[in-house]
Amino acid sequence: MKRTRISHGLAIHGGVGILSRSDMTPELEADYRAALAESLVAGRRALDTGGSALDAVVAAVRVMEDAPIFNAGLGSNFDERGVVTMDASIMHGPTLDAGAVAGVTNVRSPVELARLVMERSEHLMLIGEGAEAFARAQGIPVTDNTFFHTERRREELRRAKERSRGRPTVQGDGAPAGFSQASGPRPATGREIGGADDPADRAGTVGAVALDASGRLAAATSTGGMANKTWGRVGDSPIIGAGTYASSHCAVSCTGWGEYFIRNAVAYDVHARMTHAGVDLTEAVRAVLYDVLEAQAPRSGGMCALGADGSVELGFNTPGMYRGWIGADGEPHVAIWGDE
Amino acid sequence: MKRTRISHGLAIHGGVGILSRSDMTPELEADYRAALAESLVAGRRALDTGGSALDAVVAAVRVMEDAPIFNAGLGSNFDERGVVTMDASIMHGPTLDAGAVAGVTNVRSPVELARLVMERSEHLMLIGEGAEAFARAQGIPVTDNTFFHTERRREELRRAKERSRGRPTVQGDGAPAGFSQASGPRPATGREIGGADDPADRAGTVGAVALDASGRLAAATSTGGMANKTWGRVGDSPIIGAGTYASSHCAVSCTGWGEYFIRNAVAYDVHARMTHAGVDLTEAVRAVLYDVLEAQAPRSGGMCALGADGSVELGFNTPGMYRGWIGADGEPHVAIWGDE
């Protein structure tokens, strides 16, 4: 996928799961490409019908939330209890307004809820049942947790639990299974994570960035989190500055090993390198992905990013990332593998 | 309070609440100064007895969590339902390891739980009941929510609800009272927040930064959040990069209007300005507080910060901040007002 620059449009990612061609069937690959194109076209349609960059990222992310092949909304990963808990965030570059939700179990579109938190609450972030009460008060669709369940994710949970079975766990009073052994501080370089030894288990997230004809940037991210994650675990997707950031300089949505994206404030760091060090978007994205993340956690993820000048970056340190962009001509461009 | 530099020691804040001398009684002021000194001495004792910077920030924050005059642990603010929900985070500079919890209702020391998430889980952030289940599994003290309740905070909740009574609210199906009106996007510059028109209502947080004799930096923050906050609201305190950050360059703990600290990734931005723009700690803290925050939201808060060279910054754009520092000689220095 060639580097490009657009006058207005979107870039999206659908996570960095399924890392090798051998694990991918032709049918599933076709489904991914079709869903990515559909997401891009939906975002572009929002722009064409007078919508803002914010409208575009929500439209694009909603298509991926509704597609069961992505780990967000319908088709989200299960946590260790077999429950789907979802996180999302959104940010509007021109104003720095932002919204985020974490740990919601029944909201049909978490990204829509994040936008409502931004626009209709006096807060930036709501979590858990409080976020769900806000969703009901706003009248957006809520549903039963089973709505989000898919057989494929149930199978992934089963495999993740199998892989983690060899590990010691501690059973506390009233605690669910799956807590990690409490034998003392783990090494700072520890690569273990949740039940997810397989990077594919922790790599699912969807996101979009958009630049509208008025030059406004926006970013949004939505996820079901890691497969077999500890009850209550939150990654970078709902964290403004980690999984999502937008300013007048850039818009960024990340996917990958959330813990590393949080501690390096990855999305904000792209903005910070542009504004404090004066580098362009390409250099900022490369520095964060390869100099920072790759050094701490190889194959840890990627991001879609847009600059105010329309430059598009779809970067990752994994073998692939579901991704795409769409510009002024309305033609969706999608890719999965690193060599495309 | 003069600018200083220490070989090892701590700096702390206890929030930016009670903004004018007219609202402060001599007895309460004496209590604050005594508790700040006690916190500093506890942190220093941790260092003197072979503890690390991490041990020191936890010891210092725990003293303030246990003191009912600070908005953290015992004495936390109530949310709109009259429930105490607490958030905390911690970060270890040398390794960038971090831990965070949000929305916990029964854990005696939220900062201790954040440390356990960092050291004994494979995740960085746990929220709500999942975080509480982890606390039980780890065997740390949990208690009833009423343990954290104080008459003073109940009175503050009553006043906050009175102040917000004039505002339109929307009653959704099953939603609690207090949601703000859903009449459309609010202006980007909107200054309204929760039930907290009074900056004092949203300004309570405690935090500590430490530098140990081995040159390691650490930071920790703990809070009960805003008075009368919407159910589920989370501010910057548990957000690594917003309320708390530590690296090999600096350690930062923030207090103030959380929404603005999140969208500007305030704690990380101090680090980013030092590493990307090459400025020193003093200049980085001043730029963030005065060029960034003050421009977006006057009187929005402050921070305690330590540089790897031992430089101490206790900065705020409010009339005062409960604060202090302690260095090699073991003498605690505390202050409240801006002219001290």
PDB file of all heavy atoms in Angstrom, chain A residues 97 120 122-123 125 127 167 180 232 234 245 259 263 268-269 276, chain B residues 97 120 122-123 125 127 167 180 232 234 245 259 263 268-269 276:
ATOM      1  N   ASP A  97     -12.131  18.397  22.215  1.00  0.00           N
ATOM      2  CA  ASP A  97     -13.198  17.710  22.941  1.00  0.00           C
ATOM      3  C   ASP A  97     -13.047  16.204  22.734  1.00  0.00           C
ATOM      4  O   ASP A  97     -12.652  15.753  21.643  1.00  0.00           O
ATOM      5  CB  ASP A  97     -14.576  18.154  22.449  1.00  0.00           C
ATOM      6  CG  ASP A  97     -15.024  19.444  23.109  1.00  0.00           C
ATOM      7  OD1 ASP A  97     -14.474  19.792  24.172  1.00  0.00           O
ATOM      8  OD2 ASP A  97     -15.922  20.102  22.562  1.00  0.00           O
ATOM      9  N   ARG A 120     -22.857  15.377  25.088  1.00  0.00           N
ATOM     10  CA  ARG A 120     -24.043  15.602  25.911  1.00  0.00           C
ATOM     11  C   ARG A 120     -23.835  15.406  27.400  1.00  0.00           C
ATOM     12  O   ARG A 120     -24.790  15.494  28.166  1.00  0.00           O
ATOM     13  CB  ARG A 120     -25.185  14.708  25.434  1.00  0.00           C
ATOM     14  CG  ARG A 120     -25.562  14.986  23.991  1.00  0.00           C
ATOM     15  CD  ARG A 120     -26.791  14.228  23.592  1.00  0.00           C
ATOM     16  NE  ARG A 120     -27.140  14.523  22.204  1.00  0.00           N
ATOM     17  CZ  ARG A 120     -28.204  14.018  21.585  1.00  0.00           C
ATOM     18  NH1 ARG A 120     -29.001  13.190  22.231  1.00  0.00           N
ATOM     19  NH2 ARG A 120     -28.464  14.326  20.334  1.00  0.00           N
ATOM     20  N   GLU A 122     -21.146  16.370  30.805  1.00  0.00           N
ATOM     21  CA  GLU A 122     -20.145  17.370  31.187  1.00  0.00           C
ATOM     22  C   GLU A 122     -18.818  16.680  31.513  1.00  0.00           C
ATOM     23  O   GLU A 122     -17.906  17.304  32.050  1.00  0.00           O
ATOM     24  CB  GLU A 122     -20.680  18.173  32.376  1.00  0.00           C
ATOM     25  CG  GLU A 122     -21.873  19.009  31.941  1.00  0.00           C
ATOM     26  CD  GLU A 122     -22.852  19.305  33.046  1.00  0.00           C
ATOM     27  OE1 GLU A 122     -23.038  18.448  33.929  1.00  0.00           O
ATOM     28  OE2 GLU A 122     -23.436  20.395  33.019  1.00  0.00           O
ATOM     29  N   HIS A 123     -18.737  15.392  31.196  1.00  0.00           N
ATOM     30  CA  HIS A 123     -17.537  14.637  31.493  1.00  0.00           C
ATOM     31  C   HIS A 123     -16.892  14.127  30.214  1.00  0.00           C
ATOM     32  O   HIS A 123     -17.475  14.211  29.137  1.00  0.00           O
ATOM     33  CB  HIS A 123     -17.880  13.464  32.413  1.00  0.00           C
ATOM     34  CG  HIS A 123     -18.440  13.908  33.723  1.00  0.00           C
ATOM     35  ND1 HIS A 123     -17.782  14.779  34.558  1.00  0.00           N
ATOM     36  CD2 HIS A 123     -19.608  13.615  34.347  1.00  0.00           C
ATOM     37  CE1 HIS A 123     -18.517  14.991  35.638  1.00  0.00           C
ATOM     38  NE2 HIS A 123     -19.623  14.297  35.526  1.00  0.00           N
ATOM     39  N   MET A 125     -15.113  10.858  30.374  1.00  0.00           N
ATOM     40  CA  MET A 125     -15.077   9.397  30.435  1.00  0.00           C
ATOM     41  C   MET A 125     -16.081   8.858  31.445  1.00  0.00           C
ATOM     42  O   MET A 125     -16.122   9.302  32.585  1.00  0.00           O
ATOM     43  CB  MET A 125     -13.670   8.935  30.823  1.00  0.00           C
ATOM     44  CG  MET A 125     -13.479   7.421  30.776  1.00  0.00           C
ATOM     45  SD  MET A 125     -11.734   6.963  31.039  1.00  0.00           S
ATOM     46  CE  MET A 125     -11.754   5.275  30.407  1.00  0.00           C
ATOM     47  N   ILE A 127     -17.602   4.972  32.915  1.00  0.00           N
ATOM     48  CA  ILE A 127     -17.301   3.548  32.897  1.00  0.00           C
ATOM     49  C   ILE A 127     -18.446   2.728  33.473  1.00  0.00           C
ATOM     50  O   ILE A 127     -19.250   3.220  34.261  1.00  0.00           O
ATOM     51  CB  ILE A 127     -15.995   3.217  33.670  1.00  0.00           C
ATOM     52  CG1 ILE A 127     -16.157   3.541  35.170  1.00  0.00           C
ATOM     53  CG2 ILE A 127     -14.814   3.974  33.084  1.00  0.00           C
ATOM     54  CD1 ILE A 127     -14.971   3.102  36.023  1.00  0.00           C
ATOM     55  N   ARG A 167      -0.293 -22.300  33.362  1.00  0.00           N
ATOM     56  CA  ARG A 167       0.239 -21.301  34.275  1.00  0.00           C
ATOM     57  C   ARG A 167      -0.380 -21.379  35.657  1.00  0.00           C
ATOM     58  O   ARG A 167      -1.519 -21.750  35.825  1.00  0.00           O
ATOM     59  CB  ARG A 167      -0.095 -19.923  33.737  1.00  0.00           C
ATOM     60  CG  ARG A 167       0.554 -19.681  32.438  1.00  0.00           C
ATOM     61  CD  ARG A 167       0.526 -18.220  32.208  1.00  0.00           C
ATOM     62  NE  ARG A 167       0.233 -17.950  30.832  1.00  0.00           N
ATOM     63  CZ  ARG A 167      -0.281 -16.825  30.426  1.00  0.00           C
ATOM     64  NH1 ARG A 167      -0.590 -15.896  31.303  1.00  0.00           N
ATOM     65  NH2 ARG A 167      -0.487 -16.624  29.168  1.00  0.00           N
ATOM     66  N   SER A 180      -3.623 -13.972  37.831  1.00  0.00           N
ATOM     67  CA  SER A 180      -2.263 -14.468  37.696  1.00  0.00           C
ATOM     68  C   SER A 180      -1.626 -14.631  39.072  1.00  0.00           C
ATOM     69  O   SER A 180      -2.057 -14.047  40.052  1.00  0.00           O
ATOM     70  CB  SER A 180      -1.454 -13.501  36.850  1.00  0.00           C
ATOM     71  OG  SER A 180      -1.482 -12.226  37.444  1.00  0.00           O
ATOM     72  N   GLY A 232     -12.637  -6.726  34.185  1.00  0.00           N
ATOM     73  CA  GLY A 232     -12.368  -5.320  34.492  1.00  0.00           C
ATOM     74  C   GLY A 232     -11.177  -4.726  33.776  1.00  0.00           C
ATOM     75  O   GLY A 232     -10.915  -3.535  33.893  1.00  0.00           O
ATOM     76  N   VAL A 234      -8.916  -2.911  31.240  1.00  0.00           N
ATOM     77  CA  VAL A 234      -9.098  -1.895  30.217  1.00  0.00           C
ATOM     78  C   VAL A 234      -7.767  -1.658  29.520  1.00  0.00           C
ATOM     79  O   VAL A 234      -6.735  -1.535  30.175  1.00  0.00           O
ATOM     80  CB  VAL A 234      -9.619  -0.582  30.850  1.00  0.00           C
ATOM     81  CG1 VAL A 234      -9.546   0.573  29.866  1.00  0.00           C
ATOM     82  CG2 VAL A 234     -11.045  -0.778  31.352  1.00  0.00           C
ATOM     83  N   TYR A 245      -6.161   9.960  19.701  1.00  0.00           N
ATOM     84  CA  TYR A 245      -5.889  11.382  19.907  1.00  0.00           C
ATOM     85  C   TYR A 245      -6.169  12.129  18.619  1.00  0.00           C
ATOM     86  O   TYR A 245      -5.959  11.595  17.526  1.00  0.00           O
ATOM     87  CB  TYR A 245      -4.434  11.640  20.361  1.00  0.00           C
ATOM     88  CG  TYR A 245      -4.326  12.964  21.081  1.00  0.00           C
ATOM     89  CD1 TYR A 245      -4.793  13.105  22.382  1.00  0.00           C
ATOM     90  CD2 TYR A 245      -3.802  14.096  20.446  1.00  0.00           C
ATOM     91  CE1 TYR A 245      -4.750  14.328  23.041  1.00  0.00           C
ATOM     92  CE2 TYR A 245      -3.758  15.320  21.101  1.00  0.00           C
ATOM     93  CZ  TYR A 245      -4.230  15.430  22.399  1.00  0.00           C
ATOM     94  OH  TYR A 245      -4.187  16.645  23.048  1.00  0.00           O
ATOM     95  N   GLU A 259      -1.458  -2.331  27.000  1.00  0.00           N
ATOM     96  CA  GLU A 259      -0.649  -1.914  28.142  1.00  0.00           C
ATOM     97  C   GLU A 259       0.566  -1.093  27.682  1.00  0.00           C
ATOM     98  O   GLU A 259       0.934  -0.108  28.329  1.00  0.00           O
ATOM     99  CB  GLU A 259      -0.196  -3.144  28.938  1.00  0.00           C
ATOM    100  CG  GLU A 259      -1.255  -3.726  29.882  1.00  0.00           C
ATOM    101  CD  GLU A 259      -2.409  -4.467  29.200  1.00  0.00           C
ATOM    102  OE1 GLU A 259      -2.374  -4.653  27.970  1.00  0.00           O
ATOM    103  OE2 GLU A 259      -3.361  -4.844  29.919  1.00  0.00           O
ATOM    104  N   ARG A 263       1.343   3.047  28.462  1.00  0.00           N
ATOM    105  CA  ARG A 263       2.500   3.555  29.192  1.00  0.00           C
ATOM    106  C   ARG A 263       3.410   4.416  28.335  1.00  0.00           C
ATOM    107  O   ARG A 263       4.260   5.139  28.861  1.00  0.00           O
ATOM    108  CB  ARG A 263       3.262   2.417  29.876  1.00  0.00           C
ATOM    109  CG  ARG A 263       3.900   1.450  28.935  1.00  0.00           C
ATOM    110  CD  ARG A 263       4.374   0.220  29.701  1.00  0.00           C
ATOM    111  NE  ARG A 263       5.724  -0.132  29.301  1.00  0.00           N
ATOM    112  CZ  ARG A 263       6.496  -1.005  29.908  1.00  0.00           C
ATOM    113  NH1 ARG A 263       6.061  -1.619  30.996  1.00  0.00           N
ATOM    114  NH2 ARG A 263       7.696  -1.268  29.462  1.00  0.00           N
ATOM    115  N   TYR A 268      -0.999  10.260  21.776  1.00  0.00           N
ATOM    116  CA  TYR A 268      -0.588  11.637  22.065  1.00  0.00           C
ATOM    117  C   TYR A 268       0.848  11.881  21.637  1.00  0.00           C
ATOM    118  O   TYR A 268       1.204  12.992  21.213  1.00  0.00           O
ATOM    119  CB  TYR A 268      -0.746  11.958  23.557  1.00  0.00           C
ATOM    120  CG  TYR A 268      -0.349  13.387  23.855  1.00  0.00           C
ATOM    121  CD1 TYR A 268      -1.226  14.425  23.569  1.00  0.00           C
ATOM    122  CD2 TYR A 268       0.914  13.699  24.356  1.00  0.00           C
ATOM    123  CE1 TYR A 268      -0.860  15.742  23.787  1.00  0.00           C
ATOM    124  CE2 TYR A 268       1.288  15.014  24.576  1.00  0.00           C
ATOM    125  CZ  TYR A 268       0.398  16.028  24.287  1.00  0.00           C
ATOM    126  OH  TYR A 268       0.768  17.334  24.500  1.00  0.00           O
ATOM    127  N   ASP A 269       1.687  10.854  21.744  1.00  0.00           N
ATOM    128  CA  ASP A 269       3.102  11.046  21.434  1.00  0.00           C
ATOM    129  C   ASP A 269       3.312  11.390  19.953  1.00  0.00           C
ATOM    130  O   ASP A 269       4.275  12.083  19.614  1.00  0.00           O
ATOM    131  CB  ASP A 269       3.922   9.813  21.821  1.00  0.00           C
ATOM    132  CG  ASP A 269       5.406  10.148  21.983  1.00  0.00           C
ATOM    133  OD1 ASP A 269       5.714  11.219  22.536  1.00  0.00           O
ATOM    134  OD2 ASP A 269       6.246   9.347  21.530  1.00  0.00           O
ATOM    135  N   HIS A 276       6.327  19.343  19.477  1.00  0.00           N
ATOM    136  CA  HIS A 276       7.497  19.690  20.294  1.00  0.00           C
ATOM    137  C   HIS A 276       8.810  19.499  19.538  1.00  0.00           C
ATOM    138  O   HIS A 276       9.766  20.241  19.753  1.00  0.00           O
ATOM    139  CB  HIS A 276       7.542  18.854  21.576  1.00  0.00           C
ATOM    140  CG  HIS A 276       6.335  19.013  22.448  1.00  0.00           C
ATOM    141  ND1 HIS A 276       5.584  20.168  22.488  1.00  0.00           N
ATOM    142  CD2 HIS A 276       5.739  18.162  23.324  1.00  0.00           C
ATOM    143  CE1 HIS A 276       4.586  20.015  23.351  1.00  0.00           C
ATOM    144  NE2 HIS A 276       4.652  18.809  23.854  1.00  0.00           N
TER     145      HIS A 276
ATOM    146  N   ASP B  97       6.755   0.629  34.019  1.00  0.00           N
ATOM    147  CA  ASP B  97       5.635  -0.180  34.503  1.00  0.00           C
ATOM    148  C   ASP B  97       4.628   0.725  35.198  1.00  0.00           C
ATOM    149  O   ASP B  97       5.005   1.696  35.863  1.00  0.00           O
ATOM    150  CB  ASP B  97       6.118  -1.243  35.500  1.00  0.00           C
ATOM    151  CG  ASP B  97       6.673  -2.462  34.794  1.00  0.00           C
ATOM    152  OD1 ASP B  97       6.365  -2.647  33.603  1.00  0.00           O
ATOM    153  OD2 ASP B  97       7.418  -3.220  35.428  1.00  0.00           O
ATOM    154  N   ARG B 120       1.348  -7.491  40.131  1.00  0.00           N
ATOM    155  CA  ARG B 120       0.874  -8.866  40.248  1.00  0.00           C
ATOM    156  C   ARG B 120      -0.181  -9.253  39.232  1.00  0.00           C
ATOM    157  O   ARG B 120      -0.708 -10.354  39.291  1.00  0.00           O
ATOM    158  CB  ARG B 120       0.345  -9.110  41.663  1.00  0.00           C
ATOM    159  CG  ARG B 120       1.437  -8.925  42.694  1.00  0.00           C
ATOM    160  CD  ARG B 120       0.946  -9.332  44.056  1.00  0.00           C
ATOM    161  NE  ARG B 120       1.988  -9.135  45.053  1.00  0.00           N
ATOM    162  CZ  ARG B 120       1.869  -9.441  46.332  1.00  0.00           C
ATOM    163  NH1 ARG B 120       0.741  -9.969  46.774  1.00  0.00           N
ATOM    164  NH2 ARG B 120       2.856  -9.228  47.181  1.00  0.00           N
ATOM    165  N   GLU B 122      -1.278  -9.093  34.927  1.00  0.00           N
ATOM    166  CA  GLU B 122      -0.626  -8.949  33.628  1.00  0.00           C
ATOM    167  C   GLU B 122      -1.193  -7.756  32.878  1.00  0.00           C
ATOM    168  O   GLU B 122      -0.918  -7.564  31.704  1.00  0.00           O
ATOM    169  CB  GLU B 122      -0.800 -10.242  32.837  1.00  0.00           C
ATOM    170  CG  GLU B 122      -0.015 -11.374  33.492  1.00  0.00           C
ATOM    171  CD  GLU B 122      -0.603 -12.740  33.251  1.00  0.00           C
ATOM    172  OE1 GLU B 122      -1.842 -12.841  33.145  1.00  0.00           O
ATOM    173  OE2 GLU B 122       0.177 -13.698  33.164  1.00  0.00           O
ATOM    174  N   HIS B 123      -1.978  -6.962  33.582  1.00  0.00           N
ATOM    175  CA  HIS B 123      -2.603  -5.800  32.964  1.00  0.00           C
ATOM    176  C   HIS B 123      -2.122  -4.517  33.615  1.00  0.00           C
ATOM    177  O   HIS B 123      -1.450  -4.542  34.644  1.00  0.00           O
ATOM    178  CB  HIS B 123      -4.121  -5.916  33.079  1.00  0.00           C
ATOM    179  CG  HIS B 123      -4.670  -7.116  32.372  1.00  0.00           C
ATOM    180  ND1 HIS B 123      -4.431  -7.360  31.040  1.00  0.00           N
ATOM    181  CD2 HIS B 123      -5.418  -8.157  32.804  1.00  0.00           C
ATOM    182  CE1 HIS B 123      -5.024  -8.492  30.689  1.00  0.00           C
ATOM    183  NE2 HIS B 123      -5.622  -9.000  31.744  1.00  0.00           N
ATOM    184  N   MET B 125      -4.524  -1.692  33.795  1.00  0.00           N
ATOM    185  CA  MET B 125      -5.690  -1.009  34.375  1.00  0.00           C
ATOM    186  C   MET B 125      -6.856  -1.962  34.570  1.00  0.00           C
ATOM    187  O   MET B 125      -7.223  -2.696  33.658  1.00  0.00           O
ATOM    188  CB  MET B 125      -6.120   0.131  33.447  1.00  0.00           C
ATOM    189  CG  MET B 125      -7.256   0.996  34.003  1.00  0.00           C
ATOM    190  SD  MET B 125      -7.559   2.454  32.958  1.00  0.00           S
ATOM    191  CE  MET B 125      -8.450   3.504  34.126  1.00  0.00           C
ATOM    192  N   ILE B 127     -10.953  -1.947  36.238  1.00  0.00           N
ATOM    193  CA  ILE B 127     -12.008  -1.038  36.683  1.00  0.00           C
ATOM    194  C   ILE B 127     -13.140  -1.787  37.385  1.00  0.00           C
ATOM    195  O   ILE B 127     -13.343  -2.984  37.166  1.00  0.00           O
ATOM    196  CB  ILE B 127     -12.591  -0.215  35.514  1.00  0.00           C
ATOM    197  CG1 ILE B 127     -13.307  -1.117  34.497  1.00  0.00           C
ATOM    198  CG2 ILE B 127     -11.506   0.607  34.826  1.00  0.00           C
ATOM    199  CD1 ILE B 127     -14.042  -0.358  33.396  1.00  0.00           C
ATOM    200  N   ARG B 167     -30.354  23.812  36.858  1.00  0.00           N
ATOM    201  CA  ARG B 167     -30.106  23.345  35.496  1.00  0.00           C
ATOM    202  C   ARG B 167     -31.096  22.308  35.037  1.00  0.00           C
ATOM    203  O   ARG B 167     -31.601  21.522  35.815  1.00  0.00           O
ATOM    204  CB  ARG B 167     -28.740  22.688  35.452  1.00  0.00           C
ATOM    205  CG  ARG B 167     -27.674  23.657  35.805  1.00  0.00           C
ATOM    206  CD  ARG B 167     -26.404  23.047  35.346  1.00  0.00           C
ATOM    207  NE  ARG B 167     -25.358  23.321  36.289  1.00  0.00           N
ATOM    208  CZ  ARG B 167     -24.288  22.586  36.399  1.00  0.00           C
ATOM    209  NH1 ARG B 167     -24.136  21.515  35.651  1.00  0.00           N
ATOM    210  NH2 ARG B 167     -23.370  22.906  37.228  1.00  0.00           N
ATOM    211  N   SER B 180     -27.071  15.524  32.539  1.00  0.00           N
ATOM    212  CA  SER B 180     -27.239  16.855  31.976  1.00  0.00           C
ATOM    213  C   SER B 180     -28.134  16.788  30.749  1.00  0.00           C
ATOM    214  O   SER B 180     -28.314  15.748  30.142  1.00  0.00           O
ATOM    215  CB  SER B 180     -25.879  17.426  31.600  1.00  0.00           C
ATOM    216  OG  SER B 180     -25.246  16.568  30.698  1.00  0.00           O
ATOM    217  N   GLY B 232     -20.195   6.802  37.363  1.00  0.00           N
ATOM    218  CA  GLY B 232     -19.276   6.229  36.400  1.00  0.00           C
ATOM    219  C   GLY B 232     -18.228   7.184  35.863  1.00  0.00           C
ATOM    220  O   GLY B 232     -17.332   6.772  35.126  1.00  0.00           O
ATOM    221  N   VAL B 234     -14.966   9.176  35.319  1.00  0.00           N
ATOM    222  CA  VAL B 234     -13.564   8.989  35.657  1.00  0.00           C
ATOM    223  C   VAL B 234     -12.796  10.210  35.177  1.00  0.00           C
ATOM    224  O   VAL B 234     -12.989  10.671  34.049  1.00  0.00           O
ATOM    225  CB  VAL B 234     -13.016   7.710  34.991  1.00  0.00           C
ATOM    226  CG1 VAL B 234     -11.500   7.643  35.093  1.00  0.00           C
ATOM    227  CG2 VAL B 234     -13.643   6.480  35.640  1.00  0.00           C
ATOM    228  N   TYR B 245       2.500  10.271  35.548  1.00  0.00           N
ATOM    229  CA  TYR B 245       3.498   9.722  34.630  1.00  0.00           C
ATOM    230  C   TYR B 245       4.862   9.713  35.319  1.00  0.00           C
ATOM    231  O   TYR B 245       5.168  10.586  36.128  1.00  0.00           O
ATOM    232  CB  TYR B 245       3.599  10.528  33.323  1.00  0.00           C
ATOM    233  CG  TYR B 245       4.187   9.689  32.208  1.00  0.00           C
ATOM    234  CD1 TYR B 245       3.422   8.712  31.594  1.00  0.00           C
ATOM    235  CD2 TYR B 245       5.516   9.830  31.825  1.00  0.00           C
ATOM    236  CE1 TYR B 245       3.956   7.901  30.615  1.00  0.00           C
ATOM    237  CE2 TYR B 245       6.054   9.012  30.829  1.00  0.00           C
ATOM    238  CZ  TYR B 245       5.267   8.058  30.230  1.00  0.00           C
ATOM    239  OH  TYR B 245       5.791   7.243  29.260  1.00  0.00           O
ATOM    240  N   GLU B 259     -11.002  16.479  33.178  1.00  0.00           N
ATOM    241  CA  GLU B 259     -11.291  16.418  31.749  1.00  0.00           C
ATOM    242  C   GLU B 259     -10.230  17.168  30.939  1.00  0.00           C
ATOM    243  O   GLU B 259      -9.823  16.718  29.861  1.00  0.00           O
ATOM    244  CB  GLU B 259     -12.689  17.001  31.482  1.00  0.00           C
ATOM    245  CG  GLU B 259     -13.852  16.036  31.778  1.00  0.00           C
ATOM    246  CD  GLU B 259     -14.126  15.789  33.256  1.00  0.00           C
ATOM    247  OE1 GLU B 259     -13.486  16.430  34.117  1.00  0.00           O
ATOM    248  OE2 GLU B 259     -14.980  14.937  33.567  1.00  0.00           O
ATOM    249  N   ARG B 263      -7.435  15.505  28.146  1.00  0.00           N
ATOM    250  CA  ARG B 263      -7.362  15.842  26.727  1.00  0.00           C
ATOM    251  C   ARG B 263      -6.054  16.517  26.343  1.00  0.00           C
ATOM    252  O   ARG B 263      -5.731  16.613  25.149  1.00  0.00           O
ATOM    253  CB  ARG B 263      -8.578  16.671  26.311  1.00  0.00           C
ATOM    254  CG  ARG B 263      -8.665  18.005  26.952  1.00  0.00           C
ATOM    255  CD  ARG B 263     -10.029  18.627  26.684  1.00  0.00           C
ATOM    256  NE  ARG B 263      -9.893  20.003  26.252  1.00  0.00           N
ATOM    257  CZ  ARG B 263     -10.870  20.741  25.755  1.00  0.00           C
ATOM    258  NH1 ARG B 263     -12.070  20.237  25.605  1.00  0.00           N
ATOM    259  NH2 ARG B 263     -10.664  21.974  25.386  1.00  0.00           N
ATOM    260  N   TYR B 268       2.040  13.221  30.862  1.00  0.00           N
ATOM    261  CA  TYR B 268       2.977  12.771  29.823  1.00  0.00           C
ATOM    262  C   TYR B 268       3.593  13.945  29.099  1.00  0.00           C
ATOM    263  O   TYR B 268       4.763  13.891  28.678  1.00  0.00           O
ATOM    264  CB  TYR B 268       2.270  11.857  28.812  1.00  0.00           C
ATOM    265  CG  TYR B 268       3.227  11.370  27.751  1.00  0.00           C
ATOM    266  CD1 TYR B 268       4.107  10.333  28.024  1.00  0.00           C
ATOM    267  CD2 TYR B 268       3.296  11.990  26.510  1.00  0.00           C
ATOM    268  CE1 TYR B 268       5.022   9.911  27.089  1.00  0.00           C
ATOM    269  CE2 TYR B 268       4.205  11.579  25.559  1.00  0.00           C
ATOM    270  CZ  TYR B 268       5.070  10.536  25.845  1.00  0.00           C
ATOM    271  OH  TYR B 268       5.982  10.129  24.913  1.00  0.00           O
ATOM    272  N   ASP B 269       2.833  15.034  28.940  1.00  0.00           N
ATOM    273  CA  ASP B 269       3.352  16.167  28.177  1.00  0.00           C
ATOM    274  C   ASP B 269       4.565  16.807  28.854  1.00  0.00           C
ATOM    275  O   ASP B 269       5.439  17.360  28.167  1.00  0.00           O
ATOM    276  CB  ASP B 269       2.249  17.206  27.947  1.00  0.00           C
ATOM    277  CG  ASP B 269       2.579  18.139  26.790  1.00  0.00           C
ATOM    278  OD1 ASP B 269       3.088  17.644  25.757  1.00  0.00           O
ATOM    279  OD2 ASP B 269       2.340  19.355  26.910  1.00  0.00           O
ATOM    280  N   HIS B 276      11.358  15.617  23.859  1.00  0.00           N
ATOM    281  CA  HIS B 276      11.256  16.004  22.444  1.00  0.00           C
ATOM    282  C   HIS B 276      11.737  17.433  22.195  1.00  0.00           C
ATOM    283  O   HIS B 276      12.276  17.731  21.127  1.00  0.00           O
ATOM    284  CB  HIS B 276       9.807  15.886  21.951  1.00  0.00           C
ATOM    285  CG  HIS B 276       9.245  14.502  22.066  1.00  0.00           C
ATOM    286  ND1 HIS B 276      10.020  13.363  21.994  1.00  0.00           N
ATOM    287  CD2 HIS B 276       7.976  14.065  22.244  1.00  0.00           C
ATOM    288  CE1 HIS B 276       9.242  12.291  22.127  1.00  0.00           C
ATOM    289  NE2 HIS B 276       8.012  12.691  22.287  1.00  0.00           N
TER     290      HIS B 276
END
